[in-house]
Amino acid sequence: MSGTVEEALLTRRSCRAFRADPVPRAQVERLLALAARSASNSNCQPWQVHVLTGAAKRALTEDLLRAHDEGARSAGEFAYQPGADQWPEPFRGRRRRFGDGLYREALGIAPGDTAGRTGHHRRNYDFFGAPVGLVLTVSRLPLQGALVDAGVFLQGLMLAARGAGLHTCAQASLLDYHPVLRRHLRVPGDHVIVCGVALGHADEDHRLNDHRTPREPVTSFASFYDDGR
């Protein structure tokens, strides 16, 4: 795929089912070089990316799944979002609708089917079958402004991937097991973990890849100021 930024934005989605087809290292490096063109405050570029494939990814996945199954969830080392039961409206409602769409509509998992939901959630820790798993970290020294820079970098990476015909899924779920990530990755001491990213070719035959999430209309979030006030 090679198209416009508009096409990349319109076709980008959080892909939760990938084919095992490998993505060449040279292509990953090219995507990261493109994402590094992203803006950052005073050009600080506070991000680092840890790329896992092959045996390294399998070893991390095994440890993440073990920690998940043993209930070894950790408190966030740098909490930048509320706990699951602490989201205010309208965000709580949007999260609920997202969960209903993903589990009940796309996967056919009933609200009370805890085992079914847990089974799907575990797939996060194998990066949904993607051949490439990335972990994005950012220096804490520029304070929370670095999270803005990390978000801009992440968006650049996801759009660059779409331009190359690939798909991604950003994964905050990995933060629950940040000690496991630190055991496997050379994360600098001043860095905090922002999220994981699954990268690869979408499995278009999987039912999950028919699922699309809605977006709020411009009128719900934009205010325009002009000569007429």
Side-chain angles (χ1 to χ4, degrees):
M1 174 182 175
S2 178
T4 65
V5 174
E6 181 176 357
E7 289 170 336
L9 283 164
L10 290 173
T11 61
R12 189 215 64 80
R13 66 180 188 269
S14 294
C15 179
R16 292 180 171 85
F18 290 86
R19 303 199 311 263
D21 310 40
V23 178
R25 175 170 173 166
Q27 187 172 26
V28 177
E29 290 180 349
R30 175 60 178 163
L31 298 178
L32 293 175
L34 290 171
R37 301 299 306 167
S38 300
S40 61
N41 188 357
S42 301
N43 199 33
C44 287
Q45 305 173 69
W47 48 70
Q48 286 200 359
V49 182
H50 306 264
V51 184
L52 297 112
T53 59
K57 177 177 169 284
R58 289 192 294 273
L60 175 62
T61 288
E62 289 172 3
D63 276 2
L64 286 170
L65 289 173
R66 185 178 302 111
H68 174 272
D69 294 345
E70 292 174 354
R73 185 173 182 175
S74 302
E77 64 175 1
F78 185 58
Y80 62 81
Q81 61 182 4
D85 59 347
Q86 297 173 335
W87 291 78
E89 294 295 350
F91 314 114
R92 179 189 295 269
R94 292 174 186 170
R95 280 170 53 85
R96 184 173 58 251
R97 288 191 294 274
F98 164 74
D100 286 346
L102 177 64
Y103 287 103
R104 182 170 54 82
E105 298 171 16
L107 290 170
I109 299 173
D113 186 355
T114 302
R117 290 187 170 226
T118 299
H120 171 72
H121 184 75
R122 287 179 90 255
R123 298 178 62 247
N124 274 279
Y125 306 114
D126 187 30
F127 298 87
F128 298 110
V132 182
L134 303 100
V135 176
L136 175 62
T137 73
V138 72
S139 174
R140 71 175 81 232
L141 300 182
L143 304 179
Q144 293 188 34
L147 285 176
V148 176
D149 299 336
V152 176
F153 177 91
L154 180 61
Q155 178 77 322
L157 175 61
M158 293 189 291
L159 294 181
R162 283 306 300 132
L166 300 172
H167 277 280
T168 55
C169 185
Q171 299 172 264
S173 56
L174 271 63
L175 299 179
D176 292 338
Y177 305 100
H178 58 87
V180 177
L181 297 177
R182 287 191 177 274
R183 287 201 299 270
H184 283 257
L185 308 175
R186 295 184 293 274
V187 179
D190 70 297
H191 272 232
V192 293
I193 298 164
V194 178
C195 66
V197 183
L199 171 69
H201 297 274
D203 179 359
E204 300 293 358
D205 294 330
H206 196 288
R207 63 191 297 181
L208 272 172
N209 283 325
D210 292 328
H211 180 60
R212 298 291 184 274
T213 52
R215 293 295 184 269
E216 295 296 313
V218 171
T219 53
S220 74
F221 62 80
S223 300
F224 292 86
Y225 305 85
D226 56 25
D227 291 341
R229 302 263 176 190

